[in-house]
Amino acid sequence: MNSPSPQNADPPQTLFENFFEFSPDAIVVSDGNGRITNVNSQVERVFGYTRAELLGVPVETLMPERFRAAHPSHRGSYSDKPSTRPMGTGLELYGRRKDGREFPVDIMLSPVETSGGAIFLSVVRDISEKKRAEEKVRQSEGQLQELIDVMPQQVFVFDSDWNPLFANRRELEYTGLTLQEARSKDAVAKIFHPEDFKKLETMRERTRSEGAPFEMEARIRGKDGQYRWFLIRDNPLRDEQGHVRRWYGTRTDIEDRKRTEEAWNKAQAELAHVTRVMTMGELAASIAHEVNQPIAGIVMNASTCLRWLAADPPNLEEVREAARRIIRDGERAGDVIARIRALATKTDTARERLDMNETIRAVVVLVRDELYRYRVMLRKEFAEDLSPVLGDRVQLQQVVLNLVMNAIESMSEVADRPRELVIKTQNDEGGQVQVAVQDSGIGLDPQSKERIFDAFYTTKPSGMGMGLSISRSIVQNHEGRLWAVANDGPGTTLHFTVPKYHP
Amino acid sequence: MSTRPLISVVDDDVSVREALQSLLRSVGFAVRVFASAEEFLKSDYLRDTGCLILDVRMPGMSGIELHRHLVAGHSEVPVIFITAHGSDRETRSRAIRDGAVDYLSKPFSEDALLNAVRTALGPK
């Protein structure tokens, strides 16, 4: 490469004149009175004047009329404190072409001391292109903002510590919060259901360290004071070092879905209940008929025995015949019961992975009226980390329903203490999930405790004596156990276990 | 010597049939048993029957239907219904309205049965 040799170089004067003349920016030189003393060729191109037209005219010539009047005073204050700086910081500046067209400009001012006094350089850059690009960005930002605002979800940006930086219009519309309230960190505490807020805090604490996306369902209060269910999703934005810088969050209204789910669960539980009642009703008729026949026979044959024994002389042959029929009919009645038991516990069950807590909740919905009617307080002590079980939802609901109804009935006469029903779930040490239904009712005497699981044994005036017998068979079919324990205080606790689900 | 009154029993259940037959015989009645309404109608015993014990529900013609059939044929034989289906009050009151002497739910006591039978047979 040939570097220019010193003897070939332009003299400095010419070099700087060339810099001035061919600068890509328009440069206007003016004197202390604001008169133009020189311009470069770019000024001619940008403003459409010839150099000759501009020399000696005020610099205000190059600006739109509306700014001209105020300009000399700006100029004056600049002359008092001259420095190299942009002109009109924060203002939008415009140039005016000879043909009257205006265009946006950036202007840098620079004072120069010369032997002939101070002169001022104004470096003017046409920023029409930049402005157009900015406008485009603004438009696209506006569209994006509009899109975010009309999205059917609430959209958020949080800093790494979950201070809200942005919330879309949906949030404000739904919650009724002001923009300022929505930007405050404790906004969530105000609008989240207290239970769900606790969950959210735990969730955030956990994900803060992991920096992983999370989602949860929570109830959020609307401006009408009503809670609706939302699906909360937060996704982290990380920097190059992997630190979380932002959380992008959405809240999607899932109230309708929740309601459908709830209605579905309720319908299913009600269906199970109806099925149970119908089955029990049909069973009762069938049992009555099937058992009453041999029992009628037994009663009459026993009468016959007595009659023949009382005859003079007693007819022992007739007595023997009647006694044989008694034995036959007794066995027949026993067979009927065995058949009913087999029917009630038939094994074609639909086993699936179940959350026992959910299964119980569905039953609790059904007995709300009963609880209310008998003024029974229900306390649920559900293990939050309860393992799933493998079971037949409807059958296990029948078991829970039986135990709960028994518990409620056992308390119907209690007047001297609270009628309290406690349902507990827990993981037991034997790899099973244990459910306990505890009442503060009349309790069981030791004799009854042995017999309550027998078919047709009942302590209730109108009971069939089938509930616990069938319940135990169902639980046993699930490879679980069902047993009764007398409470330390009043009442009884029925426990049953179901094996955990193993995928 | 007066002939012993004949009691006819129609019940599809063998335990009940045999027990009734044996008990009523031990009391001194003559007893004929039938496993269905059709079997009873085919027999000639309607004429001699002083009291008819009918199971309410039976396969084929029910006890209720047999009773109506007899009433429609101007038979005046007294009828006692027995049933293993519990006390269905409506069926019971209709049966009594239709002229039945009694309506007994199985299992019934010897006394209840014999009282009904004696009522059906009337004073000697």
Side-chain angles (χ1 to χ4, degrees), chain A residues 58-71:
Chain A
V59 285
E60 284 79 12
T61 310
L62 299 177
M63 55 181 67
E65 287 226 17
R66 61 185 183 282
F67 298 124
R68 284 181 189 167
H71 191 252

Side-chain angles (χ1 to χ4, degrees), chain A residues 288-289 292-293 295-297 299-301 303-304 307-308 318 325 328-329 332, chain B residues 13-16 18-20 22-23 25-27 84-85 106-108 110 114:
Chain A
H289 184 258
N292 281 339
Q293 303 280 33
I295 288 177
V299 172
M300 285 187 278
N301 285 316
S303 294
T304 307
R307 286 192 166 273
W308 288 124
E318 288 285 359
R325 286 196 299 272
R328 179 197 64 186
D329 292 348
R332 181 180 154 192
Chain B
D13 190 277
V14 65
S15 294
V16 176
E18 290 181 4
L20 271 172
S22 161
L23 176 62
R25 264 182 40 227
S26 76
V27 179
H85 283 283
K106 301 174 194 177
F108 39 79
E110 179 192 323
L114 295 182

Side-chain angles (χ1 to χ4, degrees), chain A residues 107-179:
Chain A
I107 302 174
M108 281 298 293
L109 296 177
S110 207
V112 180
E113 282 300 330
T114 65
S115 50
I119 59 166
F120 301 94
L121 292 187
S122 304
V123 180
V124 180
R125 182 176 289 177
D126 179 348
I127 55 165
S128 300
E129 275 308 315
K130 192 175 137 200
K131 281 274 178 189
R132 264 195 289 277
E134 275 175 6
E135 184 54 33
K136 243 185 187 168
V137 170
R138 228 188 335 270
Q139 264 180 12
S140 118
E141 259 179 6
Q143 279 171 356
L144 204 59
Q145 173 77 42
E146 214 167 291
L147 179 71
I148 289 172
D149 277 342
V150 300
M151 269 171 74
Q153 288 164 314
Q154 299 178 21
V155 178
F156 301 86
V157 181
F158 303 99
D159 70 8
S160 59
D161 204 27
W162 272 290
N163 291 299
L165 303 173
F166 170 85
N168 72 345
R169 207 164 54 206
R170 289 274 163 193
E171 197 218 2
L172 305 181
E173 280 171 1
Y174 176 73
T175 59
L177 295 179
T178 63
L179 191 62

